[in-house]
Structures are given as structure tokens and as C-alpha cells.
Amino acid sequence: MINVRLIIMVSLLYLVEELAKLMNNTNPKYWGEIMEKKKQRNNSKIIPFPNLEDRLLNNGMEALKEKRYKDALQFFNQFTAYNQSYPEVQVGIVVCLVELGLYEDAKDKCERLLQEDIGDYFNVMQIYITILIQLSEYDKVVTILEALFEEEKVPPEYAGELFHLLEFSRKSSDRLYGSSSQIESAVNIQALGHILENGNISEQLQAIQNLRKETTISEIMEVLKNVVGDRHTHPVIQSMVLQLMIEKGIHESVVIQKFDWTMKLDLDEVIEIFEHPFTIQVLNKLEDILIHENPTLFDAVKELWERFLFVLFPFQPKPLDLNVWAGALHKFGYQLFGIDISDEEIEDIYHVEINRIDQACQQILEVEKLSMIGH
């Protein structure tokens, strides 16, 4: 199931970070351009209060961080009445509209941003797609994303999430309107297998996407085994292929080689990544500590943990120590949010030496880089 709320939450974190950069930018050239724009506006008959724009932007940021979306929307709308130079604020308005349940308004706003190329195009596109899903416009999602993938226009860092949104929309559309298997049956499975084994990462993602539409993929079992058994294949691709095999009900044993690890795996006995007891134990530990203190931080750390495990799948993190990984995620999450916490405090909470937690943090960092395909 696609977590639409999580996508919006991640976009919100991105926006807060970008808005903070605007306020903290010390580049003289940057502020020279901004002051020139202010002078041009001041030539009009409307004279705003001194520093009004800065106050509106700051107030909007604070409201957004505190999830006071109605207040944030008001501040951002007032800000844009004086200044429409910041695409981040325009996208912030969309996020507020979504959180307030004003999906049609958010959809219209997104379409205008996309048409006028305002903001990070694919960040806006990802939010737009989630809005269409909320409105059950699955066919429109499929049409848009299939066109983007076919034209190979999707940047690698967005491909994974948009691919999942496309698959979710296809399944939802099929439930509403019936299967489109007759059209999809024209896909050449052998050709897709060749692409999966020899193509670049974007081509491999597209091949997996098309293979998911097929009723059976037994014709290319050897290709699939080669992909998961080749440690030179990108680990995210290996995880996706392994999940594809499980989804298609393949009842075989396969040898997985990923990083420096090797495993012979019976596909009938695989436990879903996010249902593994250790996965749940770590999240429960973090939830007990973080959920009341900072729910947004907990959501972000949960996503980080799940992404980390997906890259490792089917292997488990080492060491298999609950407190090491809970402590590492806690510290890593605080660093992401710019929150200070001492090593002594982390040690006191989790009763683990800080050097073991730091080693786990380094693993998280290295895997996080891998999870952003193309970086």
C-alpha cells in the first residue's frame, strides 16, 4: 500500500529545509537580487510595513513546522501578495491545502505550478500525483507516469517512488474499471529480461515495472536468479526483483549475493520486510521514546529505517541488536533535523557504547546514499 501521507510529510520536511535556506542565505549577490526586486515593487503605490515579508515567511515556516496548516496557508498567501519570487512558498501552499483536505484547490494549484514550471518539477509532480490518488483519478495518474517513464524523463532519485505510485494506481484502476491485461499482453517478456540483465538502472526499473503486469514470468527465471545472485547489480534493483519473484508466487530457492553477504533463500519462507519481528521491535523502541516528543521526527526515522531494510533485503542488519539500531536511528534522525543530543544522553537511553552506535550510523549513511538511485 502506498503511504500517501508519508510522501506529503517528506515534501513538507523538504520545504521547511528549503525555506530555512532562504532565510539563512548570506550570499551578497543573492540578497542584491532580492533587494532589487523589493525596490521594483516599492515603486508601486502599495507600501508594505517594514520587514513584513520576512515576518510572514517566518510565521509561515513556524506554523508549517507545528502543523498549523490553516495559519501557515494564511501567512503564505499574504506573503505571495507581496512576493511571488519563491517557488518554495508556492509549493508550501499546496502542502497546506492537501493537509486541510482541500484537494481540488491543491490540484488546481499544482497544475498551474507544473504548467508554469515553478519549483522543483518532479517534487511538485510527486505531490500532484498523490493528490490525484486522493481524488481517485487513477487513470490520469497512469497516463501521466507511463508517459514520463516511456520518455525516460524521470530522474533516478524520483523513479522508485513514482514507480510505486504508478503500480498502486494501476491496481486501483483495475479494481474500478477492470483489468487492462489484453493491452499489456503485448509486452515481450524475453526482451524485458534482457533489459533487466543488461540495461542501466532506469531501464531496469522500467523493465521491473512492465514485468509486474505479466501473469507469469517463469520464462526468465534464470535471468531473475542471475540478477539477485550478482553482487555487482544495484542492491535496490536486487530487492525489487526479489519482491517481484515473491509477488508472482515463484516456489524456488535462489542464491542471493549482496554486498559481502551470501544466502540461499527459499522464496516460500521469506518474511515480509516490514513484518519481521526485529523490524517491529526497533520501531516499538523508538516509538516509546520519540512519538510524544516529536511525532514528525518519528515518522521520518521510521521511513529511514524501512528504506534501510529494503536496500539490505533479504539480509538483516548487523549486529542484530535492538538498542544499537534504535540508538543509531535516534541519533541519525536528530542530526537530520538539526537537533542537538549528546553522546552521553544516547548512551544513557539505550545502554550501548557510543562507538557501536556511531558504526551503525555510518552503515545507515552509506545505505541511504545507495537508496537514492543515481546518486
Side-chain angles (χ1 to χ4, degrees):
M1 176 66 69
I2 294 296
N3 192 335
V4 174
R5 178 66 60 190
L6 185 58
I7 292 171
I8 294 296
M9 185 273 293
V10 172
S11 294
L12 187 152
L13 295 176
Y14 166 81
L15 281 167
V16 171
E17 181 181 347
E18 291 302 306
L19 289 169
K21 288 179 183 177
L22 290 176
M23 298 305 297
N24 295 326
N25 197 324
T26 57
N27 187 324
K29 181 180 178 182
Y30 171 85
W31 282 112
E33 293 172 354
I34 296 301
M35 292 306 297
E36 182 61 31
K37 291 177 182 177
K38 286 187 176 184
K39 287 178 183 179
Q40 292 172 6
R41 289 195 304 276
N42 287 342
N43 289 332
S44 68
K45 295 181 180 179
I46 302 174
I47 302 176
F49 291 107
N51 300 319
L52 176 60
E53 292 174 20
D54 293 342
R55 293 203 302 274
L56 290 172
L57 185 56
N58 273 319
N59 290 339
M61 286 175 59
E62 288 303 314
L64 198 62
K65 289 178 184 177
E66 296 170 7
K67 299 186 178 182
R68 294 184 289 109
Y69 300 112
K70 189 173 181 179
D71 292 339
L73 179 61
Q74 182 178 357
F75 288 128
F76 287 152
N77 278 332
Q78 290 176 359
F79 179 87
T80 57
Y82 296 106
N83 188 336
Q84 297 190 13
S85 303
Y86 299 149
E88 296 83 0
V89 175
Q90 302 285 348
V91 179
I93 290 173
V94 173
V95 172
C96 292
L97 291 170
V98 170
E99 293 291 351
L100 293 170
L102 301 173
Y103 298 117
E104 288 291 349
D105 291 340
K107 173 186 168 184
D108 293 342
K109 180 77 172 176
C110 256
E111 287 175 347
R112 187 178 69 81
L113 295 180
L114 291 169
Q115 289 167 2
E116 298 178 12
D117 196 22
I118 296 174
D120 181 322
Y121 181 84
F122 279 95
N123 183 46
V124 177
M125 175 60 74
Q126 188 165 275
I127 298 172
Y128 179 55
I129 294 299
T130 66
I131 294 168
L132 293 179
I133 289 174
Q134 289 284 8
L135 294 171
S136 300
E137 296 186 26
Y138 303 116
D139 282 350
K140 190 168 186 177
V141 172
V142 172
T143 300
I144 292 170
L145 292 184
E146 281 187 343
L148 288 174
F149 277 112
E150 286 171 8
E151 295 170 10
E152 299 184 356
K153 288 185 175 180
V154 181
E157 61 267 29
Y158 287 99
E161 195 60 60
L162 289 178
F163 165 75
H164 287 305
L165 290 171
L166 174 57
E167 286 298 290
F168 175 80
S169 298
R170 277 187 177 136
K171 292 175 183 177
S172 300
S173 180
D174 285 348
R175 286 195 294 269
L176 287 175
Y177 306 113
S179 174
S180 56
S181 59
Q182 288 182 339
I183 298 173
E184 295 166 355
S185 64
V187 177
N188 187 321
I189 294 179
Q190 293 293 342
L192 290 174
H194 179 78
I195 293 170
L196 185 59
E197 196 167 20
N198 301 289
N200 60 38
I201 290 176
S202 295
E203 291 168 341
Q204 289 174 318
L205 287 169
Q206 180 68 41
I208 294 169
Q209 169 191 327
N210 286 319
L211 287 168
R212 274 205 163 94
K213 297 184 286 185
E214 296 301 318
T215 304
T216 177
I217 55 174
S218 57
E219 300 97 318
I220 57 168
M221 265 305 302
E222 289 307 309
V223 170
L224 300 176
K225 288 182 177 181
N226 289 342
V227 170
V228 299
D230 181 1
R231 61 169 45 93
H232 296 106
T233 303
H234 196 289
V236 172
I237 297 296
Q238 288 182 300
S239 296
M240 293 177 73
V241 168
L242 190 55
Q243 281 205 327
L244 174 67
M245 297 169 77
I246 295 167
E247 288 171 12
K248 296 300 180 183
I250 293 174
H251 307 290
E252 293 195 28
S253 294
V254 295
V255 175
I256 317 292
Q257 293 192 87
K258 181 180 286 192
F259 305 117
D260 295 327
W261 303 330
T262 301
M263 171 195 295
K264 186 173 183 179
L265 184 69
D266 187 339
L267 295 177
D268 287 327
E269 298 178 359
V270 177
I271 300 175
E272 173 65 34
I273 311 172
F274 308 131
E275 294 177 0
H276 195 284
F278 184 71
T279 302
I280 296 170
Q281 289 168 8
V282 171
L283 287 178
N284 287 343
K285 179 80 172 182
L286 284 167
E287 185 173 19
D288 290 341
I289 295 168
L290 294 178
I291 192 68
H292 299 299
E293 175 189 337
N294 193 328
T296 301
L297 174 61
F298 173 74
D299 287 340
V301 168
K302 179 182 178 183
E303 185 202 4
L304 178 69
W305 178 232
E306 291 177 346
R307 194 161 56 240
F308 176 78
L309 294 174
F310 181 78
V311 176
L312 265 57
F313 181 68
F315 298 95
Q316 288 291 301
K318 297 177 182 180
L320 205 63
D321 186 312
L322 163 65
N323 288 307
V324 167
W325 290 104
L329 289 162
H330 189 153
K331 182 175 181 178
F332 199 92
Y334 266 45
Q335 290 173 343
L336 283 178
F337 275 65
I339 303 172
D340 293 328
I341 187 168
S342 69
D343 290 345
E344 291 77 13
E345 189 175 351
I346 288 287
E347 287 183 326
D348 288 343
I349 295 172
Y350 296 99
H351 307 292
V352 177
E353 298 87 350
I354 197 63
N355 67 308
R356 296 183 67 203
I357 288 175
D358 285 341
Q359 288 171 7
C361 282
Q362 184 60 34
Q363 287 189 53
I364 294 171
L365 177 61
E366 291 171 0
V367 170
E368 183 69 5
K369 291 177 183 177
L370 285 172
S371 71
M372 305 301 290
I373 292 180
H375 280 227

